[in-house]
Amino acid sequence: DTAVSQTPKYLVTQMGNDKSIKCEQNLGHDTMYWYKQDSKKFLKIMFSYNNKELIINETVPNRFSPKSPDKAHLNLHINSLELGDSAVYFCASSWGGSGANVLTFGAGSRLTVL
Amino acid sequence: QQQVKQSPQSLIVQKGGISIINCAYENTAFDYFPWYQQFPGKGPALLIAIRPDVSEKKEGRFTISFNKSAKQFSLHIMDSQPGDSATYFCAASNTGTASKLTFGTGTRLQVTL
């Protein structure tokens, strides 16, 4: 059983399109995250949700909209895709509070915008 | 602003050698310092972590050394093996519900036979 699963693993699309990436965790964690890893492998947090509430919202274009229907799911919708959005997007989860720093990552979703 | 600086960018070590990766941080509020290991096509996975109340933590072949006054910490991999070839990220955060991990830029380690 995969602890943090993301779909799709690969996504190739044209500029201007809208796409979504889904994430589910079966660890019972109450906090979920989206991280972006660029071509130089730099990992940067985008969003964090704790019990379905947005608690971290970094400086991310508002074309990116996360949604957490319940604490086991966190989806990422991206509107009007741009070339610079090409990256690997990682979902992660953790316990909140003092355990908030121990993250379990998914395998990533590689987005290529043409 | 890069709050966690990591070096070297890449490292080649012979099998059986010692791999050393260094990180420096700026934010004195950081109180948790993990290292993550990432294999190609996979997500990062927690390898080992330390809090600033100790200067060293060892788990098997992996050791973190921590220097609070210098705001530096390092990962030592003893008896490096080809299976250790991966990208290693240091990170730092302060604890709390809204805490976030700030990652270093990564070190690509290659262990040769």
Side-chain angles (χ1 to χ4, degrees):
Chain A
D1 254 1
T2 304
V4 180
S5 58
Q6 300 178 224
T7 54
K9 189 168 175 64
Y10 300 98
L11 193 52
V12 181
T13 189
Q14 300 286 332
M15 277 177 56
N17 284 349
D18 304 339
K19 290 295 177 185
S20 293
I21 306 171
K22 296 186 175 182
C23 179
E24 175 182 4
Q25 55 94 5
N26 62 7
L27 297 167
H29 289 160
D30 56 7
T31 305
M32 295 186 72
Y33 311 79
W34 279 111
Y35 275 81
K36 179 180 180 180
Q37 187 170 50
D38 62 23
S39 58
K40 295 184 179 178
K41 292 218 172 259
F42 184 59
L43 270 165
K44 186 167 168 48
I45 190 168
M46 301 172 68
F47 302 103
S48 174
Y49 273 75
N50 177 259
N51 280 318
K52 303 191 297 175
E53 284 192 34
L54 182 66
I55 56 171
I56 293 174
N57 184 351
E58 290 293 283
T59 310
V60 177
N62 57 16
R63 299 182 293 104
F64 291 79
S65 52
K67 280 199 179 140
S68 182
D70 56 60
K71 71 176 189 178
H73 295 84
L74 180 61
N75 303 323
L76 183 65
H77 188 76
I78 315 170
N79 290 325
S80 303
L81 279 156
E82 300 178 357
L83 293 176
D85 297 332
S86 295
V88 181
Y89 292 85
F90 286 100
C91 177
S93 70
S94 75
W95 293 110
S98 61
N101 301 293
V102 183
L103 269 57
T104 301
F105 283 85
S109 296
R110 180 177 292 275
L111 171 65
T112 303
V113 182
L114 304 174
Chain B
Q1 182 188 8
Q2 182 60 43
Q3 292 194 55
V4 180
K5 295 183 179 178
Q6 183 172 348
S7 63
Q9 190 173 11
S10 63
L11 184 59
I12 300 175
V13 172
Q14 279 199 321
K15 179 183 174 182
I18 302 173
S19 304
I20 302 174
I21 305 170
N22 300 301
C23 282
Y25 63 97
E26 298 169 4
N27 187 343
T28 54
F30 287 152
D31 61 0
Y32 177 73
F33 303 89
W35 286 88
Y36 279 76
Q37 180 188 54
Q38 185 180 24
F39 292 105
K42 304 290 184 184
L46 179 64
L47 185 63
I48 187 172
I50 197 168
R51 294 199 183 269
D53 51 344
V54 296
S55 60
E56 187 175 281
K57 184 173 181 181
K58 184 175 180 179
E59 289 183 3
R61 297 183 293 108
F62 300 91
T63 300
I64 300 178
S65 296
F66 184 81
N67 185 330
K68 187 173 181 178
S69 60
K71 293 189 287 185
Q72 294 175 347
F73 57 111
S74 60
L75 176 70
H76 296 233
I77 306 174
M78 311 299 288
D79 186 26
S80 298
Q81 298 297 313
D84 297 331
S85 297
T87 300
Y88 292 82
F89 294 92
C90 63
S93 75
N94 53 315
T95 49
T97 303
S99 68
K100 59 182 181 182
L101 278 176
T102 298
F103 283 88
T105 48
T107 296
R108 187 173 178 181
L109 171 66
Q110 183 181 354
V111 181
T112 60
L113 292 171

